[in-house]
Amino acid sequence: MVLGGGAADGTGRELRGRDRAMDEALGALYGRDGAARDGADRAAGGRRAAGLGASAPGVARWLGDIRTYFPSPVVQIMQRDAIDRLGLAGLLLEPEMLEAVEADVHLVGTLLTLRKALPETTRETARAVVRKVVAQLEQRLATRTRATLTGALDRSARTARPRHHDIDWNRTLRANLKHYLPEHRTVVPERLIGYGRAARSVRKDVVLCVDQSGSMAASVVHASVFGAVLASMRTLDTRLVVFDTSVVDLTDQLDDPVDVLFGTQLGGGTDINRALAYCQSRITRPADTVVVLISDLYEGGIRDGMLRRVAAMKASGVQFICLLALSDEGAPAYDREHAAALAALGAPAFACTPDRFPDVMAAAIEKRPLFIPDMPEQR
């Protein structure tokens, strides 16, 4: 905590230099009487203190200041607060603003919400911001996702009569420990466990069904990146469907997640039943299909129809998972009644961080039980 500032804030100690600049940057956003102090300080011949006016040059300077004085995670929080508290979303329509901000998932969500309002001069800058964030997410998530799911696909194709170079030695040794010969200090395996040739014999279908209502912005960004990563794996056939009250299949754009994101329409209502009806109609191999519904479950469509479709998919052999959020923020607000109804059908509903998503998908592919975290009470 730093005490001091304009007129010493009653402490008798006045901030100077970098401390004063940091105090002014914070006061511009969080000071309750920022504008009044700003005017008083200027009238007294002092430096500008608090007060963040709704002008692009002033905000751009402030964005530059906070990037100078604070680490990146703090900058991103302050940017989100500035957009929410001061209503600065409209200023993101100007190129100089976009060039000044610290890009993150939440900024991408805001830009996608404003997409139709972006002037021509800003669209390319906005696309560059989105591409930068997507590239960072891919770098963070892609390698581990491919490695985890490749292992899961291999394990799901295990055979009891493997060729020598397909033997899973770790599992084979564990399965044959009772055949250990102390005098020879070795295990004589009576049963071999091996990997199948997943690239040729195993293929799983994955359907990502993503709620694009405004509250799901961060989840839409992460789902688009994961969709592109999964689509790049030859052993998976991946489909990406986004929905609000309408349904859009973006599978043909999965080679570029930026195109996917600009094909979404954040905001609007929610019709989960309609989206699941479309996904269900595209399932041809239910026993080899994983459906991931990413939604907070605030259904605006036919609730009973939604539950009947999930039950039918489960009965046919589909692995069905509901992620209430796919983001770093943890448990969101969600419809607890619908989540409980899905759980009663054997379809787990829980929030998932991007780092945990590969493990969730691996468990679904191998048809293993999922670890379901406790979900706090939502108000």
Side-chain angles (χ1 to χ4, degrees):
M1 179 180 291
V2 177
L3 300 177
D9 282 347
T11 66
R13 305 287 294 182
E14 184 174 355
L15 297 177
R16 299 183 181 278
R18 184 182 179 87
D19 289 340
R20 177 169 179 170
M22 293 174 68
D23 180 67
E24 290 174 357
L26 290 166
L29 176 57
Y30 301 110
R32 288 181 298 177
D33 57 346
R37 276 194 285 153
D38 180 27
D41 278 8
R42 282 182 294 180
R47 290 180 56 189
R48 181 180 179 183
L52 188 57
S55 67
V59 176
R61 283 194 298 270
W62 177 79
L63 288 168
D65 287 344
I66 64 174
R67 292 175 70 177
T68 299
Y69 301 128
F70 302 101
S72 181
V74 176
V75 169
Q76 293 172 4
I77 292 171
M78 293 177 72
Q79 285 177 172
R80 294 201 295 272
D81 286 348
I83 292 170
D84 294 339
R85 293 164 60 102
L86 303 179
L88 299 181
L91 290 179
L92 295 177
L93 305 181
E94 303 187 27
E96 62 268 28
M97 276 284 293
L98 284 179
E99 291 170 356
V101 294
E102 183 85 17
D104 68 349
V105 169
H106 298 279
L107 177 63
V108 169
T110 301
L111 289 176
L112 296 176
T113 302
L114 298 171
R115 181 181 46 129
K116 289 191 175 180
L118 292 174
E120 194 66 36
T121 55
T122 306
R123 288 177 187 172
E124 285 307 310
T125 306
R127 197 174 185 87
V129 169
V130 173
R131 189 169 295 281
K132 176 182 177 181
V133 173
V134 166
Q136 292 170 344
L137 289 175
E138 285 185 312
Q139 183 178 20
R140 167 187 160 192
L141 302 170
T143 300
R144 180 169 177 269
T145 299
R146 292 192 185 99
T148 301
L149 297 192
T150 297
L153 287 162
D154 286 345
R155 288 189 292 273
S156 70
R158 283 197 181 95
T159 174
R161 299 180 62 185
R163 300 178 183 181
H164 182 269
H165 55 274
D166 289 333
I167 295 174
D168 182 344
W169 287 109
N170 288 332
R171 287 178 61 88
T172 295
L173 289 172
R174 285 198 296 270
N176 290 275
L177 286 176
K178 63 182 178 181
H179 304 301
Y180 177 70
L181 301 179
E183 64 273 21
H184 298 290
R185 301 179 66 184
T186 189
V187 170
V188 179
E190 293 188 0
R191 181 168 65 94
L192 298 178
I193 300 175
Y195 299 119
R197 293 180 172 270
R200 290 188 292 181
S201 62
V202 176
R203 193 170 184 84
K204 297 289 184 179
D205 298 335
V206 176
V207 181
L208 300 179
C209 185
V210 186
D211 183 345
Q212 60 177 347
S213 57
S215 60
M216 300 295 294
S219 297
V220 170
V221 176
H222 286 115
S224 299
V225 172
F226 277 118
V229 173
L230 298 181
S232 71
M233 299 180 64
R234 296 175 63 184
T235 48
L236 294 177
D237 187 2
T238 303
R239 182 178 295 275
L240 177 65
V241 176
V242 298
F243 68 93
D244 42 35
T245 53
S246 60
V247 181
V248 181
D249 193 326
L250 297 176
T251 303
D252 61 351
Q253 299 179 38
L254 277 175
D255 58 332
D256 188 346
V258 176
D259 286 341
V260 170
L261 288 170
F262 277 92
T264 61
Q265 176 65 55
L266 287 175
T270 308
D271 192 337
I272 303 172
N273 177 56
R274 185 174 183 181
L276 291 180
Y278 177 83
C279 294
Q280 188 178 21
S281 71
R282 296 300 185 270
I283 295 173
T284 58
R285 302 186 310 141
D288 292 315
T289 299
V290 178
V291 174
V292 183
L293 171 65
I294 303 175
S295 173
D296 55 16
L297 297 179
Y298 287 112
E299 170 66 314
I302 304 172
R303 175 187 184 274
D304 291 341
M306 172 187 75
L307 296 177
R308 281 197 301 270
R309 292 193 188 282
V310 174
M313 283 189 273
K314 290 281 296 177
S316 69
V318 171
Q319 293 292 105
F320 190 96
I321 302 167
C322 176
L323 300 183
L324 303 168
L326 181 56
S327 68
D328 291 307
E329 275 62 54
Y334 64 98
D335 190 306
R336 295 186 63 83
E337 183 180 349
H338 288 166
L342 288 178
L345 294 174
F350 57 97
C352 178
T353 63
D355 289 327
R356 187 166 171 250
F357 182 75
D359 297 321
V360 170
M361 289 301 299
I365 287 171
E366 296 182 70
K367 298 184 179 182
R368 291 188 280 108
L370 295 174
F371 169 74
I372 310 300
D374 292 333
M375 298 291 292
E377 191 76 30
Q378 299 293 320
R379 302 297 182 189

